[in-house]
Amino acid sequence: MEFQAVVMAAGGGSRMMDLTSSIPKPLLPVGNRPLLWYPLNLLERAGFEEVIVITRKEIQKVLNLDTKMKLDFVCISDNMDMGTADSLRHIHQKIKTDVLVLSCDLITDVDLYKVVDLFRTHDATLSMLMKKTQEPTEVVPGQKGKKKPVEQRDFIGVDDTGKRLLFMANEADLDEELIIKRSVLQKHPRMHIRTGLMDAHLYCLKKYVVDFLVENRTITSLRSELIPHLVRRQFSSPTSLQQGLDNKEEDQKKKEQASLDIYSFIKEDNSLLKPAPDNSCWNDHRGDMNETLHEGKVRCYVHIMKEGLCYRVNTLGLYIEANRQVPKLLLSLGLEEPLVHGSAQITDRGMVGSDSIIGSSTQVGEKTSIKHSIIGSMCTIKDKVKITNCIIMNSVTIEEGCCLQGSVICHNAMIEKGADIKDCLIGSDQRLETKAKHVNEVIVGTEQLMEI
């Protein structure tokens, strides 16, 4: 086994609490599949047979995933507040090889071998996936007219090939200037600084990085702490142990620092000088190994997608955008399932748009129009309803004469006769009265509001 795969699915979705206060993030429906299905499908298509899924008990209980892979669930207690590095540390005894870590909110059609090949070809410490940031194209319910929060930019430095990751810093961690170490520029005098790239939260990591995490408990996040640390350490010398110090306390301190140095976890390995194994499914160490044999032992690489789909579903806007792109994604993945489930009962099929998805056992009445929308399972949509650019989750009832546009309607909601809803988020179990009119609102229950 060359790699072990780990999917992080225990996060609470803090940037989209209007949705995740009632629906756990890994279970959010995207194209009528739980969000967690997408990274698992990516791994299955790449040939993985087993995956470790870090999640919570409430999520595991209700998961019903269509996969042939063996899923090893590790459940984290609800009262444990763990970052992604904490979660990886939590399962370190299960990690026997190099590891591929993904977030449950990643939806992409990337060729996974492009990231893995970088890792193997250069015997890298880290290889990761990035893509140009995409802003939501649709109006986000409840946010029209509100000032958009300012996102802190990442500054990403790459070499001439665009693959060697030389520098990484977030705007929030910088003063007024960008400082590049001389040791970096001595080895790579030409560096391209890029902004506007999204970290997809897909990382190939050496086994020794997990060992390092086990000892260095101050690191809690992969994205904001571990990855920048690895990038910085590429061009630094290993922490030296000075011999013959008079001060024993100082000597002990130096030893402790060395024990927490990533270099002290790298084992000498002569396997690079041997021929690559013939049976490697990833075709190990392709290409020029000169850099691998002569550069520093910590090496970081990045695959920047130039085309294709790549979303991190971590805001309401990106959740809506991902659902918009799902029909195209399923087509690119070769999943030739009908967009309208065979058990759905639709009176006027001609009034359902060709890019809409309708789930199992949903009933659609006469003269009801559905365009550019996703309808979940077990929904009842009655006569003369107009639905445009909407996401309707499971077991929703929409009565006669309603008009819904640009809205997200969560599980078990009830929309009574003649309601007019535009650019709204309607929470789970909500009931909107007859002829209600709502524009640009977020309507959730009082208990959910308290949780927010």
Side-chain angles (χ1 to χ4, degrees), residues 226-251:
L226 177 66
I227 304 305
H229 177 79
L230 295 177
V231 173
R232 285 194 303 270
R233 292 298 288 147
Q234 292 179 98
F235 305 102
S236 301
S237 301
T239 303
S240 59
L241 281 175
Q242 298 178 23
Q243 301 298 321
L245 287 173
D246 295 331
N247 190 327
K248 289 185 179 180
E249 190 176 323
E250 182 100 1
D251 192 23

Side-chain angles (χ1 to χ4, degrees), residues 348-401:
D348 298 323
R349 286 214 171 226
M351 298 187 73
V352 176
S354 60
D355 58 354
S356 291
I357 296 176
I358 298 182
S360 62
S361 302
T362 284
Q363 298 180 356
V364 180
E366 292 183 358
K367 299 182 181 178
T368 286
S369 166
I370 299 174
K371 307 293 183 188
H372 315 299
S373 296
I374 294 175
I375 314 294
S377 301
M378 306 289 291
C379 292
T380 301
I381 303 171
K382 299 198 174 175
D383 300 344
K384 298 180 181 178
V385 172
K386 288 186 178 180
I387 299 175
T388 309
N389 284 337
C390 289
I391 300 163
I392 313 290
M393 297 188 189
N394 297 336
S395 302
V396 171
T397 298
I398 302 173
E399 294 191 337
E400 292 90 343

Side-chain angles (χ1 to χ4, degrees), residues 295-308:
E295 276 224 354
K297 292 179 182 177
V298 177
R299 290 180 290 274
C300 301
Y301 286 82
V302 59
H303 172 61
I304 301 173
M305 284 181 73
K306 292 183 171 62
E307 55 188 26

Side-chain angles (χ1 to χ4, degrees), residues 247-416:
N247 190 327
K248 289 185 179 180
E249 190 176 323
E250 182 100 1
D251 192 23
Q252 182 61 31
K253 188 176 178 183
K254 289 277 183 184
K255 286 181 179 178
E256 287 172 1
Q257 287 176 346
S259 71
L260 296 180
D261 182 12
I262 186 70
Y263 283 94
S264 65
F265 292 86
I266 302 175
K267 295 180 175 64
E268 290 295 333
D269 186 3
N270 296 323
S271 62
L272 291 176
L273 303 176
K274 300 173 185 176
D278 295 332
N279 62 352
S280 169
C281 63
W282 295 108
N283 192 6
D284 291 4
H285 312 311
R286 229 183 276 162
D288 183 11
M289 289 295 291
N290 185 61
E291 178 186 37
T292 301
L293 294 170
H294 296 100
E295 276 224 354
K297 292 179 182 177
V298 177
R299 290 180 290 274
C300 301
Y301 286 82
V302 59
H303 172 61
I304 301 173
M305 284 181 73
K306 292 183 171 62
E307 55 188 26
L309 294 173
C310 187
Y311 289 94
R312 282 208 57 226
V313 183
N314 57 3
T315 66
L316 178 56
L318 288 170
Y319 172 73
I320 293 168
E321 188 69 26
N323 274 283
R324 299 271 184 271
Q325 298 294 336
V326 155
K328 188 193 302 183
L329 174 67
L330 296 179
L331 191 64
S332 73
L333 297 181
L335 296 172
E336 298 178 2
E337 301 172 7
L339 296 182
V340 176
H341 196 276
S343 64
Q345 298 177 27
I346 301 170
T347 307
D348 298 323
R349 286 214 171 226
M351 298 187 73
V352 176
S354 60
D355 58 354
S356 291
I357 296 176
I358 298 182
S360 62
S361 302
T362 284
Q363 298 180 356
V364 180
E366 292 183 358
K367 299 182 181 178
T368 286
S369 166
I370 299 174
K371 307 293 183 188
H372 315 299
S373 296
I374 294 175
I375 314 294
S377 301
M378 306 289 291
C379 292
T380 301
I381 303 171
K382 299 198 174 175
D383 300 344
K384 298 180 181 178
V385 172
K386 288 186 178 180
I387 299 175
T388 309
N389 284 337
C390 289
I391 300 163
I392 313 290
M393 297 188 189
N394 297 336
S395 302
V396 171
T397 298
I398 302 173
E399 294 191 337
E400 292 90 343
C402 290
C403 182
L404 283 73
Q405 182 177 338
S407 296
V408 178
I409 315 296
C410 297
H411 300 311
N412 303 307
M414 171 80 171
I415 315 295
E416 295 187 357

